[in-house]
Structure formats: structure tokens, C-alpha cells
Amino acid sequence: MPGVNVAETIASSSLSEVIWLAEGRPHVRGAVTLLRGTDPVLAFTYADAAVARAVAASPALALSLTEPRSTGPAYAPLLLRGRPRLEEDPTGELFVGELLEQELRRFPPARVLADSPLLRREHWWYLPRLLVSIEVESAEATAARSGSADHLLVVAKDGRVDVRVAGIAEQSSYELALDVGGGTAEGPAVLFGQDASFPDLERWSQWAYRGHWHDGRFAVEEGPARTGLGPTPGLLQRWRRQRELERRCRRALAGV
């Protein structure tokens, strides 16, 4: 995409979405994309080791930057496509040396766990990462979300993913009518939504509808338990959330 510096755009972005294929079906997950040199990189904790390996094994990988809130001056909504490369960092040495400063700046909740040598020693399990770097092969302009009601429609077709910002025009328990700009492919699909409390990102919710996109309609096979941001967590809920993250990281690291 002429005139766009991909690295500067990523550095100015806030939340992104990583999109991959597994067994012919599309999957989406919200992310904070960091930079390793000029390449985008996703730094998964070992709690999400299975997701990191699935993303790295995908035959079609895309990264969308559609969230305009809390962005910098170089931000522009983009859809990137590229090839993933996985590097495991079970000691956290690479992450701390190359990426931790970015994460602390871009993802404020990380400061509670790793903003000082003392915190990093106490929360050592948070530092080991699975680093999925993306060699960008193409960048194209896309629409930005106009609000949390906008979703991302991802359709799998012939080993690729068609990605569009979409609004829900009509909704029932089994079918969605979407406002999607332009024609789209037909096939297995996911409709992904996310919202967060900006700029602190203390609350970050993600949800997805899974099904099939055909003739302008999304046939729902599996819907989310809930949508939207949800209430502010209390002290006990925050503690339980952190303990669960620690348990999952420790469990995965024990098998490395």
C-alpha cells in the first residue's frame, strides 16, 4: 500500500485482531501487536500456547488494525497479510530484552506484573513467551470500526480469508443480517467483536459468532454467551483473574 509505513502504523495502533485458519475454518482473536525490528509480533504468554501454535501453523494469516480509539498520529486502518514464524522463549530473555518495554507502554495491565525488577521476579511466569513474528507480504486499506457495535466478518474461501468490518442490521438466534461494504466470499465464517476500556484496558471483552456466510446472511451455528464490555471487576475478581493466568502459565511451562 503506497505511502503507508506499516511499522509506524502498528506502533500507533491500539487493539488489533489476528486472523488465522485451522482445519479450513477461520478464527479471530484480539491482540496488542508489538514490533520486532520492522516486523509485527504477537507475544503470547504460555497460558495461550495452544493459540500461539495454531496461529503459527496457519496457511493464511492476517492482522487487522480496525480500532481507532487510543491510537497515535500515524494510525490508519489496515489489513496485513503475511507468513508467521514461531520462536519459543521459555526463559523470557528475548521478551524482556526486546519487547517488554513496548508491552508496558502499549498494554497498561502488564505494569501490575512486570513494571519493576521486583515485580518481574515475583511474576516470573508472565515473562516467558511464544513469539509469533509476521513477515508482511501485503497491506491494504480497510474500514475502521465506528464503535463497539461494529464487528469483523471473516470468511474462509480457497485457503484464504476475506475480512470486512460489519454491523449487525438484524439479529435472531439462528441468523444475522449484516451491513457489509462490497461483495464478500461465501463459506465458513466467524463474526468477531471486541471492546475495551480505553486508555487503561483494564476491561477487555471479546466474543464471536461462528457459522456460515451465504447470500448476505450469516447462519449462526454457535453464538457467544455474552457480548459487550461488562462491569468493572472488583478486587477479588482481579485477584482471581491473575491467579488463573498464573496457574495456566505455570502448567504450560511445566511441560516445556
Side-chain angles (χ1 to χ4, degrees), residues 12-89:
S12 288
S13 68
S14 57
L15 298 182
S16 56
E17 302 92 13
V18 59
I19 301 150
W20 72 98
L21 286 176
E23 298 181 349
R25 300 195 67 89
H27 299 266
V28 186
R29 182 166 177 134
V32 176
T33 304
L34 307 177
L35 286 167
R36 196 174 181 193
T38 58
D39 288 339
V41 61
L42 306 171
F44 293 94
T45 68
Y46 269 77
D48 290 321
V51 174
R53 293 186 178 112
V55 169
S58 175
L61 186 70
L63 187 70
S64 69
L65 309 174
T66 62
E67 175 55 71
R69 291 176 288 180
S70 289
T71 54
Y75 168 76
L78 284 181
L79 178 67
L80 309 175
R81 300 180 189 271
R83 292 184 294 178
R85 180 175 64 86
L86 174 65
E87 186 171 3
E88 297 206 24
D89 180 25

Side-chain angles (χ1 to χ4, degrees), residues 179-196:
D179 290 326
V180 182
T184 59
E186 298 181 349
V190 59
L191 185 69
F192 175 81
Q194 66 174 336
D195 196 8

Side-chain angles (χ1 to χ4, degrees), residues 1-250:
M1 181 179 171
V4 173
N5 185 306
V6 171
E8 288 182 0
T9 302
I10 290 171
S12 288
S13 68
S14 57
L15 298 182
S16 56
E17 302 92 13
V18 59
I19 301 150
W20 72 98
L21 286 176
E23 298 181 349
R25 300 195 67 89
H27 299 266
V28 186
R29 182 166 177 134
V32 176
T33 304
L34 307 177
L35 286 167
R36 196 174 181 193
T38 58
D39 288 339
V41 61
L42 306 171
F44 293 94
T45 68
Y46 269 77
D48 290 321
V51 174
R53 293 186 178 112
V55 169
S58 175
L61 186 70
L63 187 70
S64 69
L65 309 174
T66 62
E67 175 55 71
R69 291 176 288 180
S70 289
T71 54
Y75 168 76
L78 284 181
L79 178 67
L80 309 175
R81 300 180 189 271
R83 292 184 294 178
R85 180 175 64 86
L86 174 65
E87 186 171 3
E88 297 206 24
D89 180 25
T91 66
E93 183 177 354
L94 287 175
F95 175 71
V96 172
E98 300 182 25
L99 297 168
L100 177 59
E101 184 179 341
Q102 285 186 63
E103 176 155 298
L104 293 174
R105 184 174 66 251
R106 303 277 306 283
F107 185 56
R111 299 169 193 170
V112 176
L113 301 172
D115 201 18
S116 71
L118 180 61
L119 287 171
R120 290 194 285 274
R121 189 157 53 246
E122 180 180 355
H123 305 116
W124 62 267
W125 45 266
Y126 184 70
L127 305 177
R129 297 297 174 105
L130 296 99
L131 306 176
V132 179
S133 298
I134 303 170
E135 182 183 343
V136 176
E137 296 176 325
S138 68
E140 59 193 77
T142 187
R145 296 172 190 255
S146 60
S148 60
D150 277 348
H151 290 65
L152 207 66
L153 174 65
V154 180
V155 184
K157 183 72 172 180
D158 298 329
R160 287 179 55 84
V161 286
D162 187 3
V163 183
R164 305 293 177 91
V165 171
I168 299 178
E170 299 176 18
Q171 181 173 0
S172 70
S173 59
Y174 59 89
E175 189 176 73
L176 305 173
L178 306 179
D179 290 326
V180 182
T184 59
E186 298 181 349
V190 59
L191 185 69
F192 175 81
Q194 66 174 336
D195 196 8
S197 57
F198 291 94
D200 59 36
L201 298 181
E202 170 64 28
R203 291 177 291 160
W204 183 6
S205 298
Q206 305 178 35
W207 60 93
Y209 301 84
R210 305 188 187 281
H212 195 89
W213 176 251
H214 175 71
D215 196 26
R217 294 278 173 168
F218 189 100
V220 178
E221 297 170 0
E222 179 185 349
R226 62 175 298 170
T227 63
L229 188 54
T232 301
L235 181 61
L236 181 59
Q237 187 176 353
R238 288 188 178 96
W239 179 80
R240 285 174 173 167
R241 184 172 61 190
Q242 181 176 314
R243 290 291 291 171
E244 176 61 20
L245 176 61
E246 179 179 357
R247 279 193 292 269
R248 291 172 60 201
C249 287
R250 283 175 173 268

